[in-house]
Amino acid sequence: MDKKLEALRKEYKNIPIPDELDFIVKKALKQKKKRNVNMMKRLVGVGAAVLIFITGVNASPNLANALSEVPIVGSLVKVLTFTEFKVDEGTAKTEIKVPAITNMENKTLESTLNKKYLEASKKLYNDFIAEIEEVKKNGGGHLGVESGYDVKTDNDQILAVGRYVVSTVNSYSEYTYDTIDKKHELLITLPSLFKDDSYMNLINENIKEQMRRQMERDPDKFYWLDDEMGFKTIAKDQSFYINNKGKLVIVFNKYEVAPGYMGVCEFTIPTDVIANVLASKEYIK
């Protein structure tokens, strides 16, 4: 694992981030035929590794006992914690966990995403350190930031990684998602799921309907909907993920469409609402 992490660090330093992730998608599509050939070689290698693994376990009871506590690895593309940034100075605390995607054949996409995660985390950490110094100059105060990630979806086809930033002082929170096609090793964007921009209005109207229905059923729920500052439309780059059931989930950060007590708001879009404008049935079921 240490060797793998060290290799990731070297890749971060040596591979630049392309201006547009769409470039990566196009490049990955061109490499699809080559990957099919490489997959056969990879499977042969996996078979040999399994034989070595079994031999090692049989030869060492201690190794067998240790490995029995390790979860079985499913699909090859996985997410692990690459590194952490921590500060604990009494009234100022932060803990930032940086994810890393591993085992992709599309190293351009893998490295681009991982570098994005690392750079965003480093900026968050540096901003926090600068804020500590500013607060000290003004007589002190409480500061707290927590950042990490969770895996929303991980099946044979889809990997959806959510990254969050939470202020532990004012409870502000923000989520961003990356949804990856593990089979073809492509980054899925929201517009790429649809034939044209007509999906936006269909999703907007469904979300408004869900908001109204939720408020009717539960007096404790409230959305900014009918006033001038209320929800009007999703953005083209609206945060989203595809869940384990193949449903599209639209995500709004805290305070984006509702008061703070509502937290991060998610809306699962019924597939029949958007079925006619889907580019394919590959992802959304």
Side-chain angles (χ1 to χ4, degrees), residues 101-145:
I101 296 173
T102 64
N103 296 327
M104 293 185 73
E105 287 191 2
N106 184 347
K107 292 302 178 185
T108 305
L109 177 57
E110 179 183 288
S111 298
T112 298
L113 290 172
N114 289 340
K115 187 165 186 177
K116 179 179 73 170
Y117 300 155
L118 183 61
E119 291 302 319
S121 298
K122 285 168 66 176
K123 183 179 186 306
L124 186 63
Y125 173 79
N126 290 333
D127 289 348
F128 184 79
I129 296 299
E131 194 172 357
I132 289 177
E133 296 304 316
E134 188 65 28
V135 168
K136 285 180 179 178
K137 291 178 184 177
N138 297 323
H142 290 270
L143 292 173
V145 173

Side-chain angles (χ1 to χ4, degrees), residues 10 55 76-77 99 111 115 129 137 172 174 188 209 275 284:
K10 290 180 180 179
T55 302
L76 295 174
V77 179
S111 298
K115 187 165 186 177
I129 296 299
K137 291 178 184 177
Y172 171 77
E174 179 179 275
I188 303 170
E209 181 184 335
I284 307 299

